[in-house]
Structure formats: C-alpha cells, structure tokens
Amino acid sequence: MSLKIVREPINKYMQKIPLGLIHIIPERCKECGYCIDLCPKDVLEVGDERNIKGYRWPRVADGKAAECIACRMCEWICPEFAIFIVEADRREYV
Amino acid sequence: MSGELKLLKPGTYFMMGNIACVEAALIAGCEFYAGYPITPSNEIAEHMSRRMPQLGRHFIQMEDEIGSIVAVCGASAAGVKAMTATSGPGFSLMMETIGLAAMLELPCVIVDVQRAGPSTGIPTFVGQGDVMQARWGSHGDYELVVYAPSSVQEFFDLTIEAFNTSEWLRIPVIVLSDEVVGHMYGRLVVPEHDKITIINRKRYTGPKEAYLPYSHESLVPAFVAAGDGYRIHMTGLTHDERGYPSLEIEDSHRLVERLVMKVRKNARSLWKYETFYIDDADVIVVTFGITARSSEEAVRRARSEGLKVGMIKLLTLWPFPEEPIRIASQYARRILVAEINMGQLIHPVREVAECPVAGINYPIGYAPPPEYILDGIRAAV
Amino acid sequence: MGQKVVLRERIVDESPRDDLIRRERFPHIWCPGCGLGTVLKCYVEAIAASNIPPDKHVIVSGIGCTGRIAGYVRLDSYHVTHGRPIAFAEGMKIVRPDLEVTVISGDGDLVTIGGNHFIHAVRRNVDINVFLVNNFIYGMTGNQMGSTTPLGAKSSTSPYGCPEPPFNLPLLAAALGAPFVARWTTLHVRQLADAMKRAMNVKGFAFIEIISPCPVGFGSYNDLRDGRDYIKLFLENCIVDHSADLNKVGITLKPGEPIILGNFIDREAPTYHDLELEVFKKAGWLK
Ligand code: SF4
Ligand code: SF4
Ligand code: SF4
C-alpha cells in the first residue's frame, strides 16, 4: 500500500465491539480443541486442570480475555454444550 | 358432516370377512391405516382407502410392510388408534417393529390374513402356519395378544376387541385371520353403536415434573402423545422409568417383567373361547379359525354316530387359554388339535393337557373338509 | 463503570440452552471431536429461532451414533428401529399436521437400510425435515463401510478400499422432487442452523445432508484421526455454491476435489397433506 495514512473514523468512539464473557462447564468438555482452534482472536488455550473423565477444558489465555468479540464460534462449534458466551458492555470491563 | 353417521349402521348384513374387519376398525375408532398390497388381505386396504377419507381419517399405502407398521407406530405415538393388515411374507417383515411397539408400549392392531406358506407359498390359498410366529416372531421377551376369528361376525367382533385390548394394555394386538375367513361372505349383525364397548388408552394429564412415561407403579403406565407438552422420550433401547436408555440390570429386569406381566396377569380376562358338547366328551377337538368351522361339523356328525366328542374353539390364541384346556383334559381321554399346518397350536396344548394330545394336520392350502377331521376323530376314539 | 476488571473464564454448571437439551444426560456418549454434538447445537438453535414453540417440535431418530440424538433433545423425542425413523415420522405427521416433525439420523440409517423409506417419503413430499448426518461410515457398530463411504476409502469391512461408489445425496433428493435440499458441514455452524430453520418453515420434505467428523471411526481408517484434521479438510476443500450442478456434488474426499456446500434447492411443491385434503374433498368429508 502506498498510502501510509491510516485514517481513524471520526465516530470511532460510538462503535461498539462487543465483549464476550466466556463461560465454561468443565465436566462436559472432551478436549476436542475446536473452540481453541476456531477462535478468530486466539482467546482460548488448553487448561491445566482435568475433569472427571480426564479431559483438560479450555481457559482464557493470559491477557486475552478482553479480546473476545463475542462471535460465539466457540459456543456454536462446541459439541458438548461446554462453553458459551454472555455478551457484555465492553465499557464496563475494559 | 358428522363422522358418526358414516359408520356402518346397526343392522344385519351379508358381508365379506375382510370388509367386516374394516367396518369394525372404523367403529373402534381407527384413525390411521397404513398397508402394502398383499394377497389375501387386499380387500382390507382397498376398503380402507375408500372409507377412511369419507370420515376424514387417514389411509396411506406405504412402500413396504416395514414402513406400514412403523408408520402405524408413529401415528399411535401421536395418540391415535392405528392399524395395518397383511399376510405371510408381509407379516414376517413386520416382526421387528412388533417388538418396537411392544417396547415403546404403543397400542396398535395388526391383521394377518394367513395364507399357505412357507415363503411365498400359495398366496391365494389358506394356511394357519403363523400361530407361533404371531406369538414369538420378534426377538426378545415380550407378550402380546392374538385373536383368531372363524367367521365374519367374529372377524368383526375381534377386530373391535383387538383395538380395545391394545388400548387397554398398550400393546400390539394381532388378529390372526386366514384366507377363507377373510374372503368368505357371511352374516354380520352390527349392534347399536352405544352398545359396543370402546376402550381408549389412559392418558396422563398431571403435572409435568411428576410424569414418568414408563412408571412401574402400575402394569400399564398412562400415555402421553407427541405434542402434549410433556417432552417425552421413547426408545427401543432398554430404558428406565423416565424413558431414558439404561444399562442397569435392575431397569432391564423391571421393564421386561412389566411388559410380560401386563399380559400374563390379565390372561384370564383375555381368554376367549367357546365350547361345544364337552360335558361328557371322551375326545375333545381343540381348534381355531376356519378349521373350527370344519371341526364343528365333524363333531356334530361324530355325535350323530354316537361318539362322545366335544370341541373347544379358541378365539384367543395368545396368551394361551391354559385353564380351560387343562380342565377339559382332566375329563377327556384324548385331545385332538386340528389346524392347517404341521402342528403349532398343539405345543401349548400339550404343555398344559393332562391327557394324551394328538394333531389333526392338514397343511395343504384348503380348509380341511369335515370328513378329514371326522376320520381323525374316529381314529382317536 | 469504566474501571478495569480482571477478566477470565467463568466456571458454571449449566448453559443457556439447557432448556432444550436433556442436560441430566450430559456429557453425551459421542467421542471427542465427533460432530454430532455440533449438529445437536445447531438444531436447538434452529428450534429457538424457528418461531414454532418447542412443544410442537418432535424429533425422531433411528439407530447408530446419530440415532442417539433424539435422546439428548428436550422435546418429544422418539428413538426407533434401524432405518425406520422416516416412516415413523410420516405416520406421526400425517395424523398431526400441526407438529413440526424432524428426523435426524445417520447415513447408514436413512439411506442404506432405510433407503426405501427415504425415497418414498421424498416422492410423497410429506412435510417433514430430514437432517441426515453423513460421517461416511457405520460408527457405532465398529466402522464398517456403507452406501456413503467414498470409493476407495478404508473401513473395517473395506480393508482394500471401498469397492463401491457412494450416493450423491443432494442429487438423489433433488431428483425425487424435494422442495428443499442443502448440504453443510458441522464447521459451517451458522449456515447449517439457518438451513435448519429454513427447513422447518419449508412446506414439504426438507433435506439437509450434514457432513460430520468421525475422527474415532472413519477418521482412524482414513488419516483424519483428530477432529482438527476434519476442520482442516473442511476449511481447505469446502466450496459454497448454492447454484451448483447437483450432478457434480458427489463427495470423493480425494485431494483437490472439493466438497460443495450450499442451499441448493428451495422451491414449492404440493405436500402430501395438500393432496390428502383433495382426497378428503372427493370422498365427501370436506366441502
Ligand atoms: S466468542 Fe469468538 S472471540 Fe470470543 S472466545 Fe469465542 S470464538 Fe473467541
Ligand atoms: S469445543 Fe467444547 S469440548 Fe471441545 S475443547 Fe472446547 S469446550 Fe471442550
Ligand atoms: S464413532 Fe464417529 S460418529 Fe460415532 S460417536 Fe464416535 S466420532 Fe461420532
């Protein structure tokens, strides 16, 4: 790109990028990794703890929580109903 | 337009057996018929296809007999009375789903107009070779009820009875007719409709949280239909009282026991039979279906020859009417079981009889002439 | 307000969709990475979005891994014999046209042992939805090949590679006259749920083929041992083409040969119910 000036929209303050609060039901997770792999923002990673069946459920990677944009891909792809998103007002948290 | 007006009116008719079966089903409240063409049951489907739409009820010709009985189960799960009719090969195809109906406890009626077998056999000839199949045809442990008519009137009466029993016990009920009874024309007396007992399955209407679709509290749990709002689960897998699949021995035991006991414990009220001249009989012919017609004549002739012969006509084949046979066997010297096969009903008879039992078998595609049975009687006396 | 809170995952024990699943039965029996749970998720989302009350939705399934799906949905749910859910659903829908009856079952169940019911239900245009989950194999019985196993694919009964060509299911359904025909994978969650929702509102037989990962079964024989291998396969090979020539959408799973997805057909045709009402008129029941 030759144009170096990156213009910021003047109404940027009005734009709301949604924030997703990540909720996990550890006992349901089977560690398939879909939520982790398919998160467009790399918010999730494999956790350390294991559930009763021995699977490590996902957790939010360090410092990544605020990057969740509540796209819900993790929630939709999860075959176990083990992860879901509650949308929040970004301004309240970040 | 009222459906009531279009049911067969009370009165006396001269009618074909298969047609009488249809009219009985309509009076019993059958709302759904699914079937596949097969001789010699076709008049049932043909007449159904004409009559059901006149009453706003449903007739569908399915792609095979499996689809037919499965669709019947689906309709029953939706809460309506449903039936199918078939013969030998089609009856064989239905066996797996008869087990499903028993397991899900879906009331339904299956009419088997028996023909000569095995395999394709002689489609237009009569047989009585499905006696054991009707009882034991599906795998696993279950019980059902099998009625066998020997006349147009009985075909009519037992079809209504079959619906009533299936609704009462939530089981598949089989009307084991045969080619001759299905095709014969005979006298039919239709009583006033309000004199005809009609039983409808017990429905559950209580609170949702308390509902257990397969509660063992009573032998026959109350039914809910699809769309009633109970969000029921039914599965052919062994299930617990909630209807959920279970691998627990205890659940399996209680379920199978209940499926069997609901018929066994009610056996006495399910037994239907008629006796002729048995009070002083030395020899008793036990028979059913069209063979009972020939046998009755044979017994009459034997009596006129001075032979002490009686007869028991079984209208209920299963659960097997043990007690009347056992009691008769305590007074008779010999029991003869007449049937159009190489010996099927003879087995349960032998199991309960306290006197020697022999068969009069006539497995050749015709109703046995009375002389044939009379010869058997003379040989036994 | 405005003050930063340390954000992290929250551990809970139920999900907002638990009202539509039989949560007491979770975790379900399916393998890690199996796509069936995602099919279930899309189905309940479609129900929630369908404008039809859940009490009017009915699910019927047959035997096999997919067959278990009926047992996990909090709806009137029927788990019947192998190959027969469509016939069961037909009987139910014909006597209760007000119910929204959906069959979800596997490829082996619906088009192999149950193929006869499938073709005739489409031909009749009974107003049911059939969501066929195609995992290319008989998973539950131990990974035997079936009528959808791609030519040459390995399975426990095709050690030398499947010797038979598979069905092209969208073509089959379309040729039989189905008013709605679609194909998606479990990766295409929104498109799949949207197609399901559309299917529920289509008058007549609505068919969706859902390509689903079976890492433990089919995958273990065919170099797709992890759910992620399937995701890669889908990401790399799927092409969305709503107006695809259905003669050319057969699945080979060969490198470079695409898996074509889309809502291929959405048309109107008289349903079994419409035609039955005509019969009722001719018979004098209806004016
Ligand atoms: S909602 Fe989207 S961005 Fe947020 S964690 Fe899930 S997949 Fe990632
Ligand atoms: S998608 Fe679901 S089951 Fe898979 S790792 Fe994520 S939370 Fe666990
Ligand atoms: S065998 Fe395949 S289809 Fe069956 S549960 Fe496992 S992954 Fe799913």
Side-chain angles (χ1 to χ4, degrees):
Chain A
M1 290 250 271
S2 57
L3 270 180
K4 282 277 185 286
I5 311 159
V6 179
R7 293 202 303 163
E8 280 213 342
I10 54 169
N11 62 347
K12 188 184 171 199
Y13 72 97
M14 288 173 70
Q15 291 180 341
K16 278 198 284 179
I17 299 174
L19 173 71
L21 303 178
I22 296 154
H23 291 66
I24 291 172
I25 307 168
E27 288 314 317
R28 289 185 185 172
C29 176
K30 288 184 190 156
E31 204 184 328
C32 67
Y34 287 161
C35 56
I36 298 169
D37 285 15
L38 291 168
C39 171
K41 294 289 186 183
D42 293 328
V43 172
L44 301 167
E45 66 180 13
V46 186
D48 294 327
E49 288 174 89
R50 289 178 190 274
N51 65 19
I52 196 158
K53 296 202 168 192
Y55 297 118
R56 292 170 302 170
W57 67 86
R59 68 176 176 213
V60 173
D62 263 353
K64 287 281 198 173
E67 290 187 28
C68 173
I69 51 168
C71 71
R72 293 181 193 264
M73 186 62 191
C74 54
E75 174 181 332
W76 280 71
I77 198 78
C78 175
E80 313 292 332
F81 291 68
I83 183 167
F84 65 93
I85 300 299
V86 175
E87 213 175 299
D89 187 336
R90 185 166 284 272
R91 288 167 305 179
E92 278 185 33
Y93 292 91
V94 186
Chain B
M1 212 173 292
S2 159
E4 210 50 46
L5 294 173
K6 287 192 170 181
L7 297 174
L8 189 64
K9 292 196 181 74
T12 304
Y13 298 85
F14 187 63
M15 193 178 269
M16 186 196 276
N18 280 345
I19 307 286
C21 166
V22 172
E23 294 298 338
L26 297 179
I27 290 171
C30 177
E31 299 251 357
F32 181 83
Y33 178 94
Y36 184 82
I38 189 164
T39 304
S41 73
N42 288 321
E43 294 78 10
I44 296 179
E46 288 165 12
H47 199 58
M48 276 287 182
S49 74
R50 194 159 39 241
R51 296 285 283 127
M52 291 293 250
Q54 293 174 348
L55 298 155
R57 304 182 190 181
H58 308 278
F59 166 90
I60 185 168
Q61 185 168 313
M62 293 296 286
E63 50 276 8
D64 58 24
E65 286 87 350
I66 301 175
S68 303
I69 176 107
V70 174
V72 161
C73 287
S76 182
V80 310
K81 295 183 185 179
M83 74 172 274
T84 183
T86 188
S87 186
F91 195 48
S92 292
L93 286 177
M94 290 183 180
M95 285 304 141
E96 183 192 19
T97 312
I98 287 173
L100 180 77
M103 189 63 149
L104 302 190
E105 301 181 61
L106 294 174
C108 57
V109 172
I110 301 116
V111 178
D112 174 18
V113 187
Q114 294 173 98
R115 67 193 219 184
S119 187
T120 313
I122 311 179
T124 50
F125 285 13
V126 71
Q128 290 183 323
D130 305 353
V131 173
M132 286 297 182
Q133 184 187 24
R135 168 63 189 89
W136 302 105
S138 201
H139 55 278
D141 267 328
Y142 64 97
E143 294 235 350
L144 43 55
V145 174
V146 179
Y147 294 121
S150 71
S151 65
V152 173
Q153 184 71 50
E154 285 171 8
F155 205 172
F156 180 92
D157 295 343
L158 290 177
T159 300
I160 294 177
E161 195 69 30
F163 274 100
N164 287 346
T165 302
S166 76
E167 293 282 317
W168 164 39
L169 295 177
R170 288 186 62 183
I171 50 167
V173 175
I174 292 166
V175 181
L176 198 67
S177 184
D178 58 60
E179 186 275 328
V180 179
V181 173
H183 283 156
M184 73 165 56
Y185 276 77
R187 190 177 133 98
L188 171 67
V189 179
V190 179
E192 295 293 332
H193 291 172
D194 56 10
K195 300 261 158 49
I196 299 175
T197 307
I198 303 291
I199 295 173
N200 297 313
R201 66 192 80 169
K202 195 170 76 199
R203 301 282 282 254
Y204 180 84
T205 51
K208 289 182 185 173
E209 316 74 55
Y211 182 55
L212 285 174
Y214 291 103
S215 163
H216 298 311
E217 218 158 78
S218 67
L219 285 172
V220 186
F223 178 87
V224 307
D228 281 358
Y230 288 89
R231 314 244 189 128
I232 187 180
H233 185 58
M234 288 191 169
T235 174
L237 289 163
T238 295
H239 41 264
D240 60 20
E241 291 181 281
R242 297 170 301 170
Y244 292 175
S246 169
L247 299 173
E248 301 296 327
I249 303 292
E250 175 71 4
D251 287 330
S252 172
H253 181 205
R254 292 182 72 193
L255 174 63
V256 173
E257 188 166 63
R258 192 172 55 70
L259 293 180
V260 166
M261 293 320 279
K262 66 179 172 178
V263 174
R264 284 196 192 162
K265 285 218 168 131
N266 289 302
R268 271 193 177 70
S269 36
L270 293 164
W271 292 338
K272 291 181 174 295
Y273 56 92
E274 287 172 12
T275 56
F276 303 83
Y277 312 110
I278 58 164
D279 291 347
D280 63 343
D282 286 336
V283 171
I284 293 173
V285 180
V286 174
T287 184
F288 66 100
I290 188 57
T291 313
R293 304 290 287 265
S294 311
S295 301
E296 199 181 324
E297 175 61 19
V299 168
R300 239 181 238 121
R301 288 192 206 165
R303 281 277 164 182
S304 67
E305 289 175 17
L307 303 174
K308 287 186 170 176
V309 183
M311 171 180 137
I312 300 177
K313 173 170 77 180
L314 298 183
L315 298 171
T316 304
L317 299 189
W318 305 103
F320 185 71
E322 300 171 1
E323 212 170 79
I325 301 293
R326 182 178 302 114
I327 291 171
S329 74
Q330 287 162 351
Y331 298 94
R333 279 193 302 107
R334 188 175 280 270
I335 287 180
L336 302 172
V337 182
E339 44 187 339
I340 310 175
N341 58 44
M342 290 299 284
Q344 296 198 10
L345 194 70
I346 192 172
H347 293 289
V349 173
R350 224 173 235 154
E351 196 176 299
V352 299
E354 292 173 14
C355 68
V357 178
I360 302 178
N361 305 103
Y362 193 78
I364 60 167
Y366 289 100
E371 300 75 48
Y372 189 83
I373 293 174
L374 192 54
D375 285 348
I377 292 171
R378 286 198 193 106
V381 172
Chain C
M1 278 284 269
Q3 127 200 22
K4 284 199 182 176
V5 179
V6 183
L7 280 174
R8 51 164 307 173
E9 69 277 1
R10 298 175 181 192
I11 302 299
V12 289
D13 61 10
E14 61 183 79
S15 89
R17 277 286 171 253
D18 281 12
D19 58 329
L20 287 174
I21 60 175
R22 297 193 190 270
R23 56 165 303 190
E24 63 275 29
R25 302 201 59 224
F26 276 67
H28 50 58
I29 61 159
W30 298 312
C31 308
C34 177
L36 284 164
T38 309
V39 174
L40 175 59
K41 168 73 177 171
C42 293
Y43 177 55
V44 301
E45 292 297 335
I47 286 171
S50 69
N51 289 324
I52 301 165
D55 283 352
K56 292 288 169 212
H57 278 278
V58 179
I59 176 171
V60 187
S61 68
I63 298 298
C65 295
T66 317
R68 293 303 184 98
I69 202 164
Y72 294 117
V73 193
R74 186 166 296 288
L75 297 175
D76 284 322
S77 50
Y78 299 86
H79 176 224
V80 301
T81 37
H82 195 21
R84 318 301 165 203
I86 290 178
F88 192 92
E90 284 179 283
M92 188 168 266
K93 179 71 185 183
I94 287 167
V95 301
R96 286 290 302 273
D98 61 315
L99 298 177
E100 185 60 36
V101 183
T102 300
V103 171
I104 306 185
S105 212
D107 44 332
D109 192 68
L110 293 180
V111 290
T112 312
I113 186 170
N116 203 23
H117 309 305
F118 178 84
I119 59 176
H120 290 282
V122 188
R123 176 182 60 77
R124 288 185 190 109
N125 201 18
V126 181
D127 187 8
I128 57 175
N129 316 307
V130 172
F131 304 158
L132 178 149
V133 182
N134 184 359
N135 60 3
F136 308 116
I137 206 149
Y138 286 90
M140 188 165 277
T141 44
N143 313 316
Q144 296 82 3
M145 68 167 190
S147 68
T148 52
T149 308
L151 189 66
K154 298 262 169 64
S155 73
S156 67
T157 51
S158 60
Y160 308 111
C162 178
E164 305 171 13
F167 270 128
N168 171 348
L169 293 174
L171 176 65
L172 176 65
L176 294 163
F180 185 80
V181 179
R183 178 199 272 159
W184 295 102
T185 77
T186 53
L187 174 65
H188 298 77
V189 282
R190 310 249 179 194
Q191 294 95 322
L192 175 57
D194 283 349
M196 287 175 165
K197 185 181 148 203
R198 175 74 195 125
M200 289 165 187
N201 291 304
V202 160
K203 270 169 55 71
F205 193 100
F207 175 68
I208 305 176
E209 179 185 13
I210 305 163
I211 311 296
S212 176
C214 172
V216 175
F218 184 80
S220 69
Y221 284 80
N222 296 284
D223 280 333
L224 294 160
R225 283 186 185 80
D226 194 299
R228 291 168 157 117
D229 298 331
Y230 275 93
I231 298 297
K232 191 160 164 280
L233 175 85
F234 295 161
L235 285 172
E236 287 173 2
N237 290 283
C238 288
I239 293 176
V240 177
D241 179 2
H242 299 299
S243 50
D245 175 358
L246 293 185
N247 286 296
K248 298 187 178 136
V249 304
I251 295 175
T252 65
L253 293 187
K254 293 213 178 81
E257 294 191 19
I259 301 172
I260 297 167
L261 311 175
N263 297 320
F264 302 125
I265 287 176
D266 194 338
R267 62 190 170 197
E268 279 185 24
T271 64
Y272 183 88
H273 183 63
D274 298 336
L275 299 171
E276 192 186 42
L277 292 180
E278 293 301 313
V279 172
F280 285 175
K281 280 181 198 155
K282 286 182 185 148
W285 174 254
L286 291 177
K287 281 276 146 31

